Amino acid sequence: MNFPRAAEKKRVIILGGGITGLSAAHKLIELSRAGEESTFHPEILLAEASGRLGGLIRTRREQGFLIESGPDSMISENPWAIDLSRRLGLENQMIPTQEKFRRSFIWRAKKLRPVPAGFYLMAAPKIETLLGLPFMSLPGKCRMALEPLIRKKSCAGDESVGSFIRRRFGSEALSAIGQPMIGGIYMADPERLSLAATLPQFLEMERRHGSVIRGLKERAAKSAERAGQMAGGPRYSLFMSFRDGMQTLVDALERALTGSLDVRIHSRPMTLDRAGSGWEIRFEKEKIFADGVLVCLPAREAARLLKTSAPEVSKPLAQVRYESVISLALGFKREDVGHPLDGFGIVIPSKEGFQTAACTLSSVKYPGRAPQGRVLLRAFLGGAFNREVLEKSDDEILRTVRSELRQMLGITGDPVLEHLERYPDSMPQYEVGHLQRMDKMEKALEAYPGLALAGNAYRGVGIPDAVRSGEEAAERIYAFLNSPKESVRHGV
């Protein structure tokens, strides 16, 4: 007679308690509960070096304002964060952007210029949209409109975003539009940023259609078709958040994990080494053995931990650069702001000489971000074109941003709220060749069973990408530790 095998307890340690680590822990618990015949019931320990969980995601309320210290949105085109939110019962708390204000501005020649409807990062599906750009010279517009006539690139190697925009749309398009748009998202220099790693949709448009403009036309047609098909069902705007801010997702994960794992804050791993069939992690005051380890840390920290125990994995990680960012939330009385505030945000080309790289009109983008009669703005500084700003004092930064916002938005009064946060080395830079380096890292990782890496330094910087990365790493660890080969090795 065959008797079912007894379930075995195995320990998994998750290093890092940001959204990636929390998503990985949640997925591990989901998998173990769903697997009726599983031989793997994990004992999970989550170690976070700081004093709180959630990483860069943090929402606070102050004087009736709802302030996001980290990311304020998740992109609905990438479904992983929305899917997780549904499983956590948060669907009725998700909110879309205020679509009637869905546009942005570029600060150009001392004036805010609206980006036309239908314009997508570097181009638009309609030639007339390009010819109507208010912040481009006539020769620059004509060069952009000629993009469908430009031959596609023949060689298959990676290319910088800057090179791609210049090649297909011209130099003026790069300096006037591409640089501020890309800089506002990645705080990066487009001349170093990998097209394949950051904007693969444009690479695919060139490959399939021979033209970005033709690719955008097909994209627009398909979007209209999907909208018609979904007319009676749920629809999401491109950007989504939660009624009470992105902290809602972190809080829900913490609640879902309560009682199912051991959480230790102020616990920074010092070393990570192979130990028999598993791994030994040394913290400041103890050593812990684990059958499986998920490293959900910034690439630089992961590289430090693995330098001795997995040098082939560590080396590509150490090559991932980071940029630093300053976020400054400012609240004003509505009557003190002269601009109609009919858009989501502003990007500023580096050649305009401003310290501010971008500004989100937070209380316009999402409802409920400011009290009645108030507006909330959020300025971003730093990045590849302004590293020196990190050396300035808070007071210097505040004075500079107030002055620049006055020019852009016609502000006459003083702010009623100011909240400045510094995020050193917080934005991973996917530079040319990034995907090849990650392929090399992942190939090397195959030699280290029971070890998985996840985070925003690898294959996507947004919240949905971090969720996907954590969940996929958890699935790999679960499959490895629940495999018959692993059970035999443990004597089951």
Side-chain angles (χ1 to χ4, degrees):
M1 180 179 293
N2 293 324
F3 292 94
R5 292 181 297 179
E8 181 190 6
K9 279 285 186 183
K10 297 174 186 175
R11 177 180 291 154
V12 176
I13 292 185
I14 299 173
L15 301 176
I19 188 62
T20 305
L22 291 172
S23 300
H26 186 260
K27 175 57 71 172
L28 270 176
I29 291 167
E30 281 186 325
L31 290 168
S32 64
R33 288 174 179 169
E36 295 180 3
E37 298 181 1
S38 174
T39 63
F40 170 36
H41 290 273
E43 174 189 318
I44 305 172
L45 187 154
L46 189 150
E48 166 57 37
S50 75
R52 60 176 292 274
L53 300 179
L56 294 177
I57 298 176
R58 188 170 189 172
T59 308
R60 66 181 73 222
R61 288 194 178 273
E62 189 174 335
Q63 300 180 40
F65 292 92
L66 190 148
I67 303 167
E68 298 282 19
S69 295
D72 70 352
S73 301
M74 48 191 180
I75 297 178
S76 62
E77 287 182 332
N78 299 334
W80 307 287
I82 286 178
D83 289 347
L84 174 60
S85 299
R86 287 199 197 100
R87 302 200 310 272
L88 291 167
L90 300 177
E91 190 164 17
N92 65 347
Q93 297 185 50
M94 288 192 288
I95 59 171
T97 50
Q98 301 195 84
E99 290 303 294
K100 64 180 178 179
F101 301 120
R102 188 181 173 183
R103 69 169 178 172
S104 56
F105 301 92
I106 289 180
W107 177 252
R108 175 90 164 164
K110 299 183 179 181
K111 188 175 180 180
L112 279 184
R113 319 276 179 163
V115 177
F119 195 89
Y120 181 54
L121 287 179
M122 65 178 78
K126 296 180 180 180
I127 299 296
E128 52 265 38
T129 301
L130 301 179
L131 294 175
L133 288 173
F135 39 79
M136 295 279 292
S137 69
L138 181 58
K141 296 175 189 180
C142 292
R143 173 62 182 84
M144 291 189 75
L146 290 174
E147 190 269 343
L149 304 179
I150 304 298
R151 289 184 179 181
K152 65 181 178 181
K153 187 180 177 184
S154 57
C155 58
D158 197 6
E159 180 180 14
S160 75
V161 172
S163 170
F164 180 83
I165 296 175
R166 189 185 304 107
R167 180 168 59 80
R168 297 220 60 88
F169 297 100
S171 297
E172 187 180 343
L174 173 61
S175 62
I177 306 172
Q179 183 275 313
M181 287 288 192
I182 302 305
I185 298 169
Y186 295 99
M187 302 301 283
D189 180 354
E191 301 287 9
R192 301 184 66 166
L193 211 58
S194 162
L195 178 72
T198 56
L199 299 171
Q201 65 272 37
F202 291 106
L203 179 62
E204 184 62 19
M205 288 175 194
E206 183 183 43
R207 286 175 178 169
R208 286 188 59 203
H209 304 283
S211 162
V212 171
I213 291 175
R214 286 196 290 267
L216 286 172
K217 284 182 180 178
E218 182 182 273
R219 177 190 175 108
K222 287 184 176 179
S223 294
E225 182 181 345
R226 281 196 302 269
Q229 291 171 349
M230 297 172 63
R235 297 178 64 182
Y236 297 107
S237 69
L238 178 62
F239 296 103
M240 301 291 294
S241 186
F242 297 94
R243 192 165 44 247
D244 294 316
M246 292 305 302
Q247 182 75 35
T248 300
L249 180 57
V250 172
D251 292 344
L253 280 166
E254 288 194 61
R255 288 193 301 271
L257 296 173
T258 298
S260 299
L261 77 167
D262 180 10
V263 176
R264 302 185 187 183
I265 59 174
H266 299 299
S267 295
R268 181 174 184 251
M270 310 304 289
T271 60
L272 173 61
D273 297 296
R274 294 302 301 266
S277 61
W279 296 84
E280 183 183 81
I281 302 94
R282 181 173 66 85
F283 296 91
E284 186 176 355
K285 296 181 179 179
E286 63 180 337
K287 292 180 180 179
I288 300 176
F289 175 84
D291 300 281
V293 179
L294 279 80
V295 180
C296 303
L297 300 170
R300 189 175 299 172
E301 183 71 0
R304 177 191 67 80
L305 276 180
L306 298 169
K307 187 174 183 179
T308 302
S309 56
E312 310 93 332
V313 177
S314 173
K315 188 174 179 181
L317 298 180
Q319 295 173 337
V320 179
R321 288 195 324 104
Y322 283 77
E323 293 291 353
S324 302
V325 180
I326 293 172
S327 168
L328 174 57
L330 297 131
F332 291 93
K333 296 177 182 177
R334 181 63 186 91
E335 64 263 27
D336 289 340
V337 182
H339 193 273
L341 300 179
D342 50 352
F344 288 171
I346 305 163
V347 293
I348 301 101
S350 59
K351 68 179 185 179
E352 294 294 324
F354 273 28
Q355 296 287 300
T356 306
C359 178
T360 300
L361 311 183
S362 301
S363 55
V364 178
K365 187 175 182 181
Y366 289 111
R369 269 40 184 173
Q372 187 70 27
R374 300 286 191 268
V375 296
L376 180 65
L377 312 177
R378 188 180 179 200
F380 297 89
L381 303 87
F385 289 101
N386 192 14
R387 299 186 184 108
E388 318 80 58
V389 74
L390 274 294
E391 305 301 321
K392 296 187 176 183
S393 69
D394 289 1
D395 285 342
E396 286 180 281
I397 293 168
L398 289 166
R399 285 196 299 271
T400 298
V401 173
R402 286 190 211 118
S403 173
E404 292 175 352
L405 290 180
R406 285 191 187 103
Q407 293 180 59
M408 290 190 286
L409 296 171
I411 297 173
T412 56
D414 293 329
V416 297
L417 171 138
E418 293 176 325
H419 185 85
L420 186 147
E421 300 248 13
R422 295 171 182 263
Y423 297 100
D425 296 329
S426 57
M427 292 290 290
Q429 303 292 289
Y430 290 7
E431 297 187 341
V432 173
H434 177 81
L435 293 182
Q436 289 78 14
R437 288 188 287 274
M438 294 305 100
D439 288 342
K440 184 176 180 181
M441 179 274 291
E442 289 167 2
K443 181 67 177 175
L445 194 59
E446 293 174 4
Y448 299 92
L451 175 66
L453 275 69
N456 68 352
Y458 306 123
R459 297 187 183 273
V461 299
I463 290 176
D465 299 297
V467 169
R468 176 187 59 171
S469 181
E471 291 185 341
E472 289 179 350
E475 288 169 352
R476 290 193 295 272
I477 287 289
Y478 181 84
F480 167 72
L481 292 179
N482 200 41
S483 67
K485 181 179 178 181
E486 180 65 9
S487 299
V488 168
R489 197 173 70 163
H490 279 73
V492 178

